[in-house]
Amino acid sequence: MSSPSGKGFNAFAMAQQQFDKVADYLELDQATKELLRWPMREYHFSLPIRMDDGSVRVFRGFRVQHNDARGPNKGGIRFHPQETADTVRALSMWMTWKCAVANLPLGGGKGGVVCSPHSLSMREQEALCRGWVRAVARNIGPVTDVPAPDVMTNAQHMLWMLDEYEHIFGGKYPGLITGKPVGMGGSLGRTEATGYGVVFTIREAMKELGMKPAETVAAVQGFGNVAQYAVELYQRLGGKVICVSSWDEGDQKAYTFRKKDGVDLAVLRKMTDRFGGIDKKKAADAGYEVLPGEAWIEQDADVLIPAALENSITGENAGKISKRVRLIAEGANGPTTPEADHVLQERGIFVIPDFLANAGGVTCSYLEQVQSNMNYYWEKDEVLGKLDVMMTSAFIAVSDTAKKRKLFMRDAAYTIAIARVAQACKDRGWV
Ligand code: NAD
């Protein structure tokens, strides 16, 4: 599910290749293949925005709806200077598979605007959000396509978008969009959802591997939203986390913070900024060993949780993974390169692939959508309880497929997701 960027790299070509491989394995018929390897609908538009200095700038916007055979399209909106139609297409396809593997009654979509939000005032960003909605208002909606925040968009952007939509249609439609602020249609539990979801899948994997959480040690990469809540729940299950890592903006490099008798989450949180950056001086004063950024991967641990960014387990460093490691849960999107994946498979390490392990985020967005459509909101425990049930069944379905078909977990997850979407297209009589 990664979205690596770089010169010459085309994310959509890669998404299609991944799909083709599984489609051949599943022996899908030609029409189903043709349908699923392209988005069903795409909207490309120009957004003329009046800037603060009185001039008008025209931005490019997109919404891509990959497939909605299983339910309304779902997926974020990115504000990014390097956004391209192909990136949005790839991400929309990956959303279809992610929703399907989590067994959500949703399809896949993605949107974007080519822009650099850091160089825009709040008023200009608001104008962009409202302009984006005006451009696609008739093509999105609570029962057709439900956007969400993504790279460089947040709850405030979602609320401006919702407000514009409600102005156009003259009613209240909180189910239009997710990622809204709590109290304004947002769901409790969303902050914890992705990190907790990672640990729900780890707990299930440990049952299969005969490991007891309380007797295990984990090493974590990252200390942002996903990593912090993964550490929280892991420790609550009795497990020990011996290190986390983070990016240091000043030094322009990453560090690993280790405490062999277990990191103290409350202490670390106090010295962490809102971007997940840990203050290395304060950490050293609190007795943490400050090691190089890559050190997290070579720790003497049973479990690795990459929860920072893509391409962090590579062909080069996979060999440094300790012999003790039996389980890797991919909290981040695309943390493992294909070469590294090969090494992990040869070593027999059990990998919970990203689009299953971190599906807690989209699952909680779905629960927000449900609450918004009812205009009735659950307590946090109820949300997290449902999340646990849904993540657990998603894990069990993938792991059963892996065992039955003798596949690695990543291949099993793709197989299950694509088979479900193909079946929905067939059942509807589309192919
Ligand atoms: P975040 O911005 O809150 O945190 C990222 C963390 O990674 C920070 O602690 C940062 O310092 C650290 N980091 C950055 N570069 C690093 C490096 N080179 N080495 C070590 N640490 C580094 O982000 P997040 O929301 O926690 O997301 C983390 C990953 O999980 C991303 O791949 C994201 O796409 C994925 N993800 C997040 C969600 C979600 O709900 N937040 C859902 C699905 C997937």
Side-chain angles (χ1 to χ4, degrees):
M1 305 294 284
S2 64
S3 57
S5 51
K7 250 194 150 113
F9 174 82
N10 184 316
F12 186 49
M14 175 170 144
Q16 287 188 316
Q17 275 168 23
Q18 286 171 338
F19 167 74
D20 290 343
K21 204 176 119 196
V22 181
D24 288 343
Y25 171 78
L26 285 171
E27 297 177 0
L28 296 185
D29 59 76
Q30 198 50 38
T32 308
K33 275 192 208 168
E34 200 54 32
L35 182 65
L36 293 181
R37 73 195 300 278
W38 292 97
M40 294 190 72
R41 284 175 295 277
E42 294 191 359
Y43 306 95
H44 297 210
F45 34 87
S46 296
L47 301 171
I49 301 295
R50 175 84 54 196
M51 308 300 281
D52 290 347
D53 65 4
S55 66
V56 173
R57 257 181 75 189
V58 180
F59 294 87
R60 292 290 294 157
F62 308 97
R63 184 69 185 173
V64 176
Q65 297 167 345
H66 174 256
N67 187 285
D68 59 2
R70 288 174 49 86
N73 299 97
K74 183 96 197 76
I77 302 170
R78 300 159 33 115
F79 281 3
H80 200 276
Q82 268 95 48
E83 197 65 277
T84 65
D86 272 345
T87 322
V88 182
R89 286 184 184 116
L91 292 164
S92 75
M93 188 192 268
W94 284 325
M95 278 308 295
T96 304
W97 311 145
K98 188 178 226 175
C99 290
V101 86
N103 210 9
L104 305 176
L106 298 172
K110 206 77 177 188
V113 175
V114 186
C115 72
S116 233
H118 296 311
S119 62
L120 299 173
S121 71
M122 290 302 272
R123 195 207 59 82
E124 290 165 343
Q125 292 184 40
E126 177 177 350
L128 209 45
C129 288
R130 292 185 185 277
W132 191 91
V133 167
R134 282 197 300 278
V136 286
R138 276 160 192 82
N139 311 108
I140 59 172
V143 294
T144 49
D145 183 3
V146 182
D150 204 290
V151 175
M152 287 199 265
T153 54
N154 57 36
Q156 175 63 75
H157 297 110
M158 299 305 109
L159 207 50
W160 284 326
M161 289 182 168
L162 175 63
D163 188 66
E164 188 65 23
Y165 185 88
E166 293 182 338
H167 273 296
I168 295 171
F169 291 103
K172 296 295 171 196
Y173 301 95
L176 166 78
I177 209 156
T178 61
K180 302 179 294 293
V182 172
M184 290 296 287
S187 178
L188 292 168
R190 177 63 187 88
T191 317
E192 295 86 347
T194 309
Y196 278 18
V198 171
V199 177
F200 292 144
T201 63
I202 290 177
R203 182 195 62 205
E204 295 309 307
M206 284 186 173
K207 285 183 194 160
E208 298 208 351
L209 297 168
M211 297 163 79
K212 293 204 174 74
E215 293 167 3
T216 62
V217 168
V220 175
Q221 185 194 34
F223 197 59
N225 173 262
V226 179
Q228 288 189 29
Y229 288 97
V231 171
E232 186 172 288
L233 193 57
Y234 196 87
Q235 290 182 332
R236 219 178 279 163
L237 295 183
K240 184 157 66 167
V241 176
I242 51 163
C243 73
V244 298
S245 73
S246 81
W247 179 254
D248 189 295
E249 209 35 54
D251 295 357
Q252 286 293 301
K253 58 180 180 180
Y255 293 101
T256 298
F257 300 88
R258 182 171 71 180
K259 199 162 214 177
K260 283 192 171 158
D261 55 359
V263 302
D264 184 324
L265 194 55
V267 168
L268 278 178
R269 274 179 169 153
K270 277 198 199 115
M271 51 182 84
T272 301
D273 64 27
R274 66 196 170 91
F275 304 108
I278 299 172
D279 185 319
K280 62 179 187 300
K281 183 165 180 317
K282 286 187 185 159
D285 289 348
Y288 285 80
E289 293 173 80
V290 181
L291 307 170
E294 281 234 327
W296 73 279
I297 206 172
E298 52 194 61
Q299 297 304 309
D300 184 29
D302 307 284
V303 182
L304 295 183
I305 309 178
L309 71 177
E310 67 273 18
N311 298 338
S312 41
I313 306 179
T314 64
E316 270 163 45
N317 65 20
K320 294 186 186 160
I321 295 174
S322 144
K323 289 208 165 47
R324 179 169 164 186
V325 171
R326 294 181 63 196
L327 174 59
I328 297 182
E330 296 181 335
N333 280 322
T336 310
T337 65
E339 304 83 69
D341 211 22
H342 195 67
V343 176
L344 304 181
Q345 287 180 3
E346 296 228 304
R347 283 192 42 187
I349 295 177
F350 191 98
V351 176
I352 310 174
D354 51 5
F355 69 125
L356 172 62
N358 68 32
V362 70
T363 302
C364 196
S365 293
Y366 165 67
L367 295 174
E368 174 178 339
Q369 199 180 325
V370 170
Q371 294 171 82
S372 290
N373 287 334
M374 293 190 295
N375 209 8
Y376 173 73
Y377 294 86
W378 300 317
E379 295 299 326
K380 192 196 270 191
D381 280 355
E382 187 160 1
V383 176
L384 293 175
K386 290 185 192 325
L387 181 73
D388 189 351
V389 170
M390 294 171 83
M391 291 295 294
T392 301
S393 6
F395 176 89
I396 291 172
V398 174
S399 129
D400 282 353
T401 301
K403 275 181 263 173
K404 253 187 233 136
R405 293 182 177 249
K406 298 197 179 6
L407 292 170
F408 292 108
M409 284 290 281
R410 195 184 310 281
D411 297 330
Y414 267 115
T415 301
I416 231 176
I418 292 173
R420 280 178 179 160
V421 180
Q423 189 62 43
C425 294
K426 199 171 279 315
D427 290 348
R428 282 178 181 275
W430 291 355
V431 282

